[in-house]
Amino acid sequence: MPVSELLRMGAARPIVRWGQPVMHRPASPVTDFGPELQALLADMFATNTAADGAGLAAPQVGVDLAVFVYDCTDEVGARRTGVVCNPEVELPEGRDRRLESRSEGCLSLPGAYSELARPDVSTCRGLDQFGEPVELTAGGILGRCFQHETDHLNGVVFGDRLSARARKALHRTHDDIADRYADDWPVSPKR
């Protein structure tokens, strides 16, 4: 189903928080591109929109599948929206590698942010919602999104990439505001 159609369908699902097993193990590859996957993708787009996210991986809605959706801007400010199944991310090396430090958050630890340095551009390869090969290269929020969401599908949350001190501060921030987010957020709005 085209992304434009997926964006019009679907219903928000509760977002799974860090600590749940599905968030900390590699996801199973997508092998079936039929109606069940299309319904999941529509729900993921609806959930990402309700949570005002840049991207969302299937484990974040409790589904053990290696797929993410994205809806954010690239390095030139253009909005880009799509799906990547079974992604692999390639990052620049050597002289081409430039790190960019930005405040990063995660919908599965809502309201908490920390500075994290990541390569300023990434290339993501995988399959689209039809099972056709895709290769996308981007910087800006989208390039970071490719890295963040692919990490999720490998069982890595961005807090795993922080120092112990930064990770503790991130959790303290979340704990201070956790009561603003109902257990079924973003189905129920932020308080």
Side-chain angles (χ1 to χ4, degrees):
M1 184 173 313
V3 169
S4 59
E5 209 170 311
L6 292 171
L7 286 165
R8 289 195 307 267
M9 304 169 58
R13 297 184 185 193
I15 293 178
V16 174
R17 302 303 202 277
W18 289 6
Q20 296 299 310
V22 72
M23 295 295 298
H24 303 281
R25 65 176 181 246
S28 300
V30 176
T31 57
D32 183 347
F33 295 85
E36 286 184 24
L37 177 65
Q38 304 306 310
L40 170 65
L41 295 173
D43 286 356
M44 288 172 64
F45 275 117
T47 304
N48 188 58
T49 299
D52 197 26
L56 186 74
Q60 293 182 273
V61 291
V63 178
D64 178 26
L65 276 180
V67 58
F68 70 83
V69 301
Y70 60 90
D71 186 354
C72 56
T73 57
D74 62 16
E75 67 278 9
V76 296
R79 180 180 178 204
R80 293 176 53 187
T81 307
V83 173
V84 183
C85 301
N86 308 330
E88 293 182 8
V89 168
E90 181 182 316
L91 301 173
E93 296 180 7
R95 287 189 204 185
D96 294 332
R97 184 177 174 93
R98 286 181 295 283
L99 295 180
E100 181 178 73
S101 188
R102 283 188 178 207
S103 181
E104 190 164 325
C106 181
L107 298 178
S108 291
L109 195 74
Y113 299 87
S114 183
E115 287 291 315
L116 179 63
R118 289 191 187 262
D120 66 342
V121 67
S122 61
T123 298
C124 188
R125 293 180 187 87
L127 304 172
D128 67 11
Q129 68 271 28
F130 305 109
E132 296 298 320
V134 292
E135 181 175 320
L136 307 151
T137 299
I141 296 169
L142 182 58
R144 183 171 286 264
C145 178
F146 291 159
Q147 296 171 61
H148 181 109
E149 301 309 331
T150 300
D151 274 353
H152 274 309
L153 301 177
N154 291 318
V156 176
V157 296
F158 93 91
D160 296 338
R161 296 193 175 278
L162 298 173
S163 68
R165 178 183 223 164
R167 191 169 38 254
K168 285 179 186 174
L170 182 74
H171 281 282
R172 274 194 308 274
T173 301
H174 172 71
D175 292 347
D176 288 347
I177 59 170
D179 62 342
R180 296 181 193 169
Y181 299 90
D183 289 343
D184 70 344
W185 178 81
V187 175
S188 295
K190 178 179 160 185
R191 298 180 197 121

